[in-house]
């Protein structure tokens, strides 16, 4: 059911001449979850909309689903499922009506629609809300309706445009795990847009980091974190220290109190799971070190810094 | 100002406004208007009005309903197109649509007569009045529907419907129309009310064979048959008051729905 997606020379220039996306190639394996990660305006949503069929690429660009050229096929004929940032649920239909919409417009017999909708309701734990108006649902419930509506017609590809950004942090974490479990169980090719690097790490098989309309790096979360292709990627997926030519993450360093230490503690900030310590040396260089909240040094203390061994 | 003073003041203002209505209706059901209610109530004037002017009532209803059908068929798609296009052209078209409301009815009527008065038998037909009413009422339908379209996430809903596999007719009928029904209802009540009461333009557009209710009413008043004019006014009220109430109700409902979103 799931398909491999290939983009060839896909760029997008808006009528005003603004380049949203420079021509790029991208290969997504069947069943893979690819996360498009980047700040707002980096072109990640435009890229998703090209794959969805909501936008046409500039002349010369091609979108292929399992080798079939779907570039000119509008979204309604691509058989994709899509979850929007605003959910865009239909206010004139109840929960079950929303979930069954994609099945009804395909002319699937009523009994089959009802059976499939029940299955979706159960899968997303919405059974008791089947007859509820969508404007009487909480944010998390709306999100699950949007997801169920997208996957009910068994699409070839699932596209998610910042589906969790409207929710608060706790709920986001919970739903992220649900979405992750769902994508694994469906084995569907999924493309997920987010600006949240933790979400990207948790959900992705691979992450495609984007910067100003270009792909900055494609790889697993570990690749991006430990071997970032450039400073932009390094900075976007976490905080970094620069030691000479090398980038070092704050949690890869350890402190040792020492009267002869070359670093002075500037400030220690308690952040819950760890304490972030800011250091400075005589030359004015700065360094961030994350450490457990056990023997946090006081500001002004002299310390040595060492690399932690590989975990 | 105390509560009772306030209430008294409000009632006084209301009485001031309602009194002319009662005075204009009362002779229509009084046997002898010069003797007053003591002469007894009668339906004689109502029957006479129906015999003399019944045709104008029916024609007014016919024109109002025809205006409604046309403004729905033209106004809803027009509002949809205007809502989808944010450009300068769309705003100019929107302004142009509202022009007939700002221009005096007499000027619009003269324009219509000069432009189309000589086209076939149009001048003698009730369709000529219909054209005028559509020109005058269309902006109200467009505005009512456009307001609802602009308050909802039209682009998002359409894209979501497309992503579900819906063709244009499917999403227009299944998603867009049901969600703008409130605006269509408000616009419809407005259009019917305005068409039934339209006088300025219709006075110039009508012929002796195509008189509408307000034109006939003016005729009855100028003929100095106060009891007839009065009974006639009563008939007009019976038609228009339920429509006005429905309009208030629809507007209240739309506000509540809007508040939920």
């Amino acid at each position: 059911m799931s398909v491999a997606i290939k983009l060839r020379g896909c760029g997008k220039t808006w009528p005003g001449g603004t380049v949203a996306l420079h021509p790029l190639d991208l290969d997504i394996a069947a069943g893979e979850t690819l996360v498009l990660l980047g700040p707002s305006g980096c072109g990640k949503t435009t890229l998703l909309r090209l794959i969805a069929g909501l936008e046409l690429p500039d002349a010369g660009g091609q979108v292929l689903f399992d080798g079939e050229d779907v570039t000119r096929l509008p979204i309604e004929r691509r058989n994709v499922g899509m979850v929007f940032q605003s959910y865009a649920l239909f206010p004139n239909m109840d929960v079950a009506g929303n979930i069954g919409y994609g099945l009804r417009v395909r002319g699937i017999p009523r009994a089959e629609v009802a059976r499939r909708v029940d299955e979706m309701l159960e899968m997303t734990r919405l059974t008791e809300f089947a007859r509820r108006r969508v404007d009487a649902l909480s944010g998390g419930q709306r999100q699950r309706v949007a997801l169920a509506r997208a996957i009910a017609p068994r699409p070839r590809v699932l596209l998610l445009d910042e589906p969790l950004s409207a929710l608060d942090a706790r709920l986001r974490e919970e739903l992220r795990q649900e979405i992750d479990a769902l994508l694994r169980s469906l084995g569907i090719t999924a493309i997920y847009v987010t600006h949240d690097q933790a979400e990207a790490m948790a959900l992705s098989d691979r992450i495609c980091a984007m910067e100003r309309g270009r792909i900055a790096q494609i790889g697993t979360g570990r690749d991006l974190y430990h071997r970032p292709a450039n400073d932009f990627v390094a900075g976007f997926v976490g905080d970094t220290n620069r030691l000479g030519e090398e980038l070092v993450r704050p949690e890869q360093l350890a402190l040792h109190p020492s009267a002869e230490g070359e670093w002075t503690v500037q400030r220690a900030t308690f952040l819950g799971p760890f304490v972030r310590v800011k250091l400075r040396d005589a030359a004015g260089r700065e360094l961030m070190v994350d450490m457990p909240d056990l023997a946090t040094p006081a500001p002004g203390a002299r310390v040595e810094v060492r690399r932690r061994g590989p975990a | 100002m105390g509560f009772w003073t306030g209430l008294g003041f409000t009632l006084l203002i209301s009485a001031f406004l309602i009194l002319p209505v009662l005075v204009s209706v009362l002779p229509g059901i009084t046997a002898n208007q010069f003797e007053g209610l003591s002469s007894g109530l009668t339906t004689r004037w109502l029957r006479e009005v129906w015999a003399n002017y019944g045709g104008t009532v029916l024609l007014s209803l016919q024109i109002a309903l025809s205006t409604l059908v046309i403004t729905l068929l033209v106004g809803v798609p027009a509002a949809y197109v205007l809502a989808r296009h944010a450009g300068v052209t769309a705003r100019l078209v929107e302004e142009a649509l509202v022009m007939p409301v700002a221009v005096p009815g007499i000027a619009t009527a003269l324009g219509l007569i000069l432009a189309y008065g000589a086209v076939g038998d149009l001048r003698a037909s009730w369709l000529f009045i219909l054209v005028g009413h559509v020109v005058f009422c269309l902006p109200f339908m467009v505005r009512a529907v456009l307001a609802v379209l602009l308050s909802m996430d039209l682009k998002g809903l359409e894209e979501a419907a497309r992503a579900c596999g819906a063709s244009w007719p499917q999403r227009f009928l299944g998603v867009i129309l049901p969600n703008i029904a409130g605006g269509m209802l408000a616009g419809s009540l407005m259009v019917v009310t305005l068409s039934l009461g339209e006088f300025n333009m219709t006075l110039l557009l009508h012929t002796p064979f195509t008189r509408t209710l307000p034109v006939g009413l003016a005729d009855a008043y100028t003929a100095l048959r106060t009891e007839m004019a009065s009974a006639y006014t009563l008939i007009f009220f019976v038609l228009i008051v339920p429509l006005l109430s429905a309009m208030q109700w629809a507007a209240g409902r739309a506000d509540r729905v809007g508040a939920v979103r």
Side-chain angles (χ1 to χ4, degrees), chain B residues 35-125:
Chain B
E35 288 174 23
L37 280 173
S38 58
S39 65
L41 297 174
T42 177
T43 59
R44 184 183 152 197
W45 314 122
L46 284 169
R47 279 183 277 116
E48 265 189 46
V49 165
W50 191 255
N52 285 316
Y53 296 104
T56 68
V57 178
L58 295 180
L59 181 63
S60 269
L61 287 172
Q62 180 183 335
I63 290 175
L65 292 179
S66 308
T67 305
L68 173 60
V69 170
I70 294 172
T71 51
L72 277 174
L73 289 179
V74 178
V76 173
Y80 174 72
V81 172
L82 288 174
R84 290 242 301 202
H85 295 87
V88 179
T89 321
R91 296 293 80 82
L92 286 177
V93 170
E94 203 182 326
E95 283 305 311
L97 268 175
V98 184
M99 282 286 276
V101 180
V103 173
I106 291 176
T108 311
L110 276 174
L112 286 172
I113 291 169
L114 290 174
Y116 304 116
V119 178
D121 288 335
L122 190 60
R123 182 73 187 84
S125 161

Side-chain angles (χ1 to χ4, degrees), chain A residues 49 53-54 74-76 80 82 84 86 88-93 101-102 105-106 135 149, chain B residues 153 155-157 159-168 170-171 174-175 178-179 260-261:
Chain A
R49 290 171 64 88
L54 285 167
I75 185 170
E76 55 266 38
V80 298
M82 189 154 178
F84 295 83
S86 66
L89 300 179
F90 308 129
N92 57 310
M93 300 173 203
Y101 184 74
V105 298
R106 281 168 171 79
D135 50 15
R149 180 178 69 182
Chain B
D153 176 18
K155 182 166 174 272
L157 289 178
E159 287 187 349
R162 290 180 65 191
C164 287
S167 62
W168 190 83
Q170 282 176 325
R171 55 186 191 262
V175 174
N179 284 308
V260 170
R261 299 239 173 94

Side-chain angles (χ1 to χ4, degrees), chain A:
Chain A
M1 204 55 211
S2 57
V3 295
I5 299 171
K6 275 187 205 300
L7 301 188
R8 288 295 172 261
C10 280
K12 184 71 190 177
T13 310
W14 298 124
T18 317
V19 179
L21 212 58
H22 296 277
L24 55 80
D25 294 347
L26 181 63
D27 286 88
I28 305 163
E32 180 183 21
T33 300
L34 181 80
V35 172
L36 303 178
L37 175 70
S40 60
C42 72
K44 59 190 191 299
T45 295
T46 305
L47 181 53
L48 186 81
R49 290 171 64 88
L50 281 179
I51 298 170
L54 285 167
E55 306 285 355
L56 262 179
D58 294 341
Q62 265 192 319
V63 182
L64 305 164
F65 282 11
D66 268 351
E68 175 202 350
D69 187 344
V70 297
T71 316
R72 303 247 144 216
L73 216 55
I75 185 170
E76 55 266 38
R77 289 167 53 207
R78 272 192 202 185
N79 194 17
V80 298
M82 189 154 178
V83 177
F84 295 83
Q85 188 173 3
S86 66
Y87 312 146
L89 300 179
F90 308 129
N92 57 310
M93 300 173 203
D94 60 16
V95 169
N98 268 278
I99 296 176
Y101 184 74
L103 300 163
R104 293 200 304 279
V105 298
R106 281 168 171 79
I108 290 169
R110 268 181 152 195
E112 170 67 14
V113 172
R115 200 189 55 72
R116 185 91 182 117
V117 168
D118 284 346
E119 195 181 309
M120 286 293 118
L121 284 167
E122 198 166 329
M123 189 193 256
T124 48
R125 294 183 289 109
L126 288 164
T127 305
E128 59 178 309
F129 303 106
R131 292 293 151 210
R132 186 80 64 96
R133 288 172 55 95
V134 290
D135 50 15
L137 297 178
S138 71
Q141 288 162 346
R142 286 179 199 199
Q143 217 294 314
R144 299 213 299 270
V145 176
L147 195 60
R149 180 178 69 182
I151 58 177
R154 301 186 202 279
R156 298 191 281 182
V157 179
L158 183 61
L159 306 163
L160 305 107
D161 186 9
E162 306 230 14
L164 302 179
S165 62
L167 303 171
D168 59 63
R170 244 191 106 78
L171 202 55
R172 202 152 60 211
E173 169 72 27
E174 198 182 305
L175 275 162
R176 192 183 79 196
Q177 290 175 17
E178 278 183 32
I179 291 178
D180 190 36
L182 192 71
L183 293 179
R184 305 290 148 211
S185 72
L186 293 172
I188 192 173
T189 311
I191 300 156
Y192 188 109
V193 166
T194 183
H195 61 264
D196 180 335
Q197 51 96 11
E199 218 168 280
M201 299 268 175
L203 278 166
S204 61
D205 291 317
R206 284 189 306 158
I207 296 172
C208 170
M210 297 190 62
E211 179 190 12
R212 279 180 287 159
R214 290 193 169 86
I215 295 176
Q217 186 175 5
I218 302 182
T220 63
R222 282 199 171 79
D223 289 339
L224 267 66
Y225 194 77
H226 294 302
R227 286 175 296 282
N230 58 28
D231 284 1
F232 168 80
V233 176
F236 202 77
V237 296
D239 294 317
T240 52
N241 294 300
R242 187 169 273 285
L243 289 178
E245 278 302 289
E246 218 183 343
L247 290 172
V248 184
R249 302 283 177 194
E251 74 282 2
Q252 291 169 332
L253 299 170
L255 297 182
H256 299 277
S258 155
E260 298 90 57
E262 58 173 321
W263 298 92
T264 310
V265 173
Q266 298 290 307
R267 197 155 57 126
T269 312
F270 176 66
L271 293 169
F274 58 87
V275 176
R276 168 151 301 178
V277 183
K278 285 210 166 114
L279 307 173
R280 182 175 286 180
D281 71 358
R285 291 184 303 165
E286 293 196 328
L287 206 58
M288 289 181 283
V289 178
D290 289 348
M291 58 183 291
D293 187 29
L294 297 171
T296 308
R302 304 284 292 221
V303 292
E304 279 176 26
V305 174
R306 287 183 214 139
R307 285 289 281 262
R308 279 178 203 273

